[in-house]
Amino acid sequence: MNKQQTLILAIETSCDETSVSVIKNGTEILSNTVLSQIESHKRFGGVVPEIASRHHVEGITTTIDTALQTANVTMNDINAIAVTQGPGLIGALLIGINAAKALAFAYDLPLIPVHHIAGHIYANHLETPLTFPLMALIVSGGHTELVYMKNHLNFEVIGETRDDAVGEAYDKVARTIDLPYPGGPQIDQLAAKGEDTYQFPRVWLEKGSYDFSFSGLKSAVINQLHNQRQKGQEIVPENVATSFQNSVVEVLTTKAIHACKAYNVKRLIVAGGVASNRGLRESIAKQCEDNQIQLTIPTPKLCTDNAAMIGAAGHYLYLAGIRSDMSMNGKNNIDIEDFSIETLS
Ligand code: KG4
Ligand code: ZN
């Protein structure tokens, strides 16, 4: 492999996917190996942190080997190691961080800390290069944010959820209609078959606010179903799914478009696990077309957690000279603004 090219080995273990990727020059995916733990967590109805850590320990070494083999490179070809520093489950993060430290030490390579949400944003860059200024709508299991970016690695959070993340709301509502974890994709599938019979509330908050709130909607769904069950009324899961999804999608789409207009931005990107939602993709695509905003959303396998996105963001941090030493620690709750290049350097 030509050393003129920059090859980043990236590691992501913030939640329930053990993933390792080799990324060339920040955009080309040579490999993106993802070992999912979903089957293990399913029986508990959600991610159990201790089990997640154990699976990461069991899987990290083979996942690194597989990613290198798939990319057809060896550790001697790699220029730097990028790893998710946070946010995420601390025990899970530490497995990836310690593997990254061991490799950086053994092969004398730079160690680069990456913010998980910056990774989700940079998943877009793997398909269509980011252009600035842009607005990023982050919708994942742990986060719901609108992030304004003037340039590479420059993050300004202009709105965020005040309670539940949107993916979390999806998973909780799914549980109330007996769908297995993770419920988001299941609700998405059902929503395509149902009707909006419930007209659940849309939570806009104060005029002009780009913040979100989903706990009221979640409670409205739970209360409605509870009342119907008590009265012995039939519940049609498809209609619950469509009604819930319509409420979520309308709020996310409207706020994202308003934010683009207010910040005079002509480029919107959507990122995070919920970005693979078909209802959201359709609604946002239509609104962007009507408002002449360029939209990019990664293919579904790059929306959910993976190491390729960490490698893409890691590449720019590498070019900017950002490095960690061996004292690097996991940070379970770190703001993306603290990861702006101005703050880091
Ligand atoms: O980004 P991600 O893989 O992990 C976090 O960083 O949180 O997102 C996982 C979340 C889960 O809540 C899952 O239910 C949701 O994304 N999700 C979806 C869809 N696919 C995944 N939610 C709605 N529709 C989908 N198609
Ligand atoms: Zn994620």
Side-chain angles (χ1 to χ4, degrees):
M1 186 64 61
N2 181 353
K3 267 266 184 187
Q4 300 297 93
Q5 292 160 337
T6 304
L7 289 191
I8 307 261
L9 181 109
I11 300 179
E12 152 65 40
T13 61
S14 67
C15 191
D16 60 346
E17 262 99 24
T18 314
S19 182
V20 180
S21 167
V22 178
I23 294 293
K24 185 165 131 187
N25 297 335
T27 50
E28 200 179 322
I29 305 174
L30 300 191
S31 64
N32 188 20
T33 309
V34 182
L35 189 65
S36 172
Q37 309 176 356
I38 282 178
E39 286 308 316
S40 290
H41 297 287
K42 229 178 204 167
R43 77 193 108 126
F44 303 104
V47 177
V48 182
E50 180 60 23
I51 294 177
S53 305
R54 281 166 194 251
H55 281 307
H56 287 310
V57 171
E58 285 161 10
I60 190 72
T61 318
T62 47
T63 312
I64 292 169
D65 287 345
T66 309
L68 287 167
Q69 277 163 24
T70 310
N72 202 18
V73 298
T74 71
M75 277 308 297
N76 295 322
D77 299 311
I78 300 293
N79 298 88
I81 312 287
V83 63
T84 307
Q85 185 174 25
L89 303 170
I90 190 65
L93 288 165
L94 285 173
I95 312 301
I97 291 171
N98 282 312
K101 278 187 192 175
L103 287 174
F105 181 71
Y107 292 92
D108 196 19
L109 292 171
L111 178 63
I112 300 162
V114 181
H115 192 281
H116 181 75
I117 299 301
H120 274 302
I121 291 175
Y122 274 80
N124 282 274
H125 190 65
L126 292 164
E127 291 176 339
T128 317
L130 298 183
T131 49
F132 303 95
L134 65 76
M135 195 62 71
L137 172 66
I138 321 295
V139 278
S140 76
H143 296 264
T144 308
E145 285 173 9
L146 273 164
V147 179
Y148 173 57
M149 289 177 75
K150 274 192 233 150
N151 220 323
H152 273 297
L153 303 175
N154 172 281
F155 308 107
E156 184 188 339
V157 178
I158 64 156
E160 61 195 328
T161 183
R162 295 188 186 170
D163 38 61
D164 290 353
V166 64
E168 197 181 346
Y170 262 96
D171 294 338
K172 284 180 183 163
V173 165
R175 221 180 300 169
T176 66
I177 46 174
D178 300 323
L179 296 172
Y181 175 84
Q186 315 260 348
I187 296 233
D188 193 11
Q189 275 181 14
L190 280 186
K193 300 179 202 153
E195 283 172 47
D196 191 342
T197 50
Y198 290 97
Q199 293 285 308
F200 288 127
R202 273 73 172 143
V203 180
W204 300 109
L205 302 171
E206 319 81 71
K207 197 170 174 358
S209 169
Y210 299 113
D211 280 352
F212 301 93
S213 166
F214 294 106
S215 75
L217 169 62
K218 179 192 68 190
S219 304
V221 177
I222 293 170
N223 291 342
Q224 172 72 36
L225 297 187
H226 180 70
N227 288 343
Q228 273 187 260
R229 281 188 182 117
Q230 279 198 326
K231 289 181 194 152
Q233 291 170 352
E234 191 204 356
I235 289 166
V236 183
E238 287 84 347
N239 293 350
V240 178
T242 310
S243 307
F244 168 74
Q245 181 149 306
N246 280 2
S247 169
V248 169
V249 164
E250 189 180 325
V251 172
L252 290 174
T253 305
T254 308
K255 292 213 175 207
I257 299 289
H258 279 176
C260 288
K261 288 184 178 166
Y263 282 74
N264 201 15
V265 161
K266 289 282 164 206
R267 174 98 194 259
L268 174 66
I269 65 174
V270 189
V274 185
S276 54
N277 184 276
R278 282 182 296 171
L280 178 63
R281 292 171 88 99
E282 267 173 37
S283 156
I284 264 192
K286 161 121 196 14
Q287 286 297 320
C288 281
E289 202 184 326
D290 291 352
N291 290 282
Q292 279 114 41
I293 295 167
Q294 188 200 349
L295 171 72
T296 48
I297 313 181
T299 46
K301 74 174 190 310
L302 290 176
C303 288
T304 43
D305 289 350
N306 67 88
M309 66 187 201
I310 302 301
H315 179 83
Y316 284 90
L317 290 160
Y318 173 71
L319 295 183
I322 302 303
R323 310 283 184 262
S324 265
D325 61 21
M326 287 295 152
S327 65
M328 176 183 178
N329 208 346
K331 295 186 175 171
N332 62 335
N333 194 4
I334 176 172
D335 204 316
I336 193 168
E337 288 185 352
D338 295 338
F339 246 80
S340 282
I341 197 70
E342 294 79 6
T343 319
L344 286 177
S345 43

